[in-house]
Amino acid sequence: MSIGAIDTSRIEAMMAQLQAAAARTSPANVNPLSDGGLQTKQASAVDFQSVLKTSLDQVNQVQLQSQHLAQRFEMGDSTVSLSDAMISLQKSSIALQQTVQVRNKLVSAYQEIMAMGV
């Protein structure tokens, strides 16, 4: 992966995930039954814990890569420019901020659920 260029493979993978999610929720996936009810097609089960862990691992990997790139620049590696190191550090900072915001939303949703009356 080149730091200076945009990594289109990750963008394409994210687009494929979004399209798959949209396909699972589209009306085309709803089949009328003979009794007039609706039944949704069985979607593959997604384990929330594994998705969350994978996301956190990716954020961690981005941070480790940016730290490694910054260390290489600090040590005088001529193949690493200052702009590459700074861009990489900003990407890792944004990824961390995004993770914190997702955590905040999850905590907020949990608190709302716990406050619901039964």
Side-chain angles (χ1 to χ4, degrees), residues 17-34:
Q17 288 177 352
L18 291 172
Q19 289 171 349
R24 285 193 302 265
T25 59
S26 70
N29 285 340
V30 178
N31 296 330
L33 297 175
S34 59

Side-chain angles (χ1 to χ4, degrees), residues 61-82:
Q61 188 65 29
V62 168
Q63 287 187 326
L64 291 174
Q65 287 175 350
S66 67
Q67 287 175 351
H68 178 70
L69 196 63
Q71 286 175 350
R72 284 179 45 203
F73 176 76
E74 290 169 0
M75 298 301 270
D77 188 347
S78 61
T79 61
V80 179
S81 69
L82 176 61

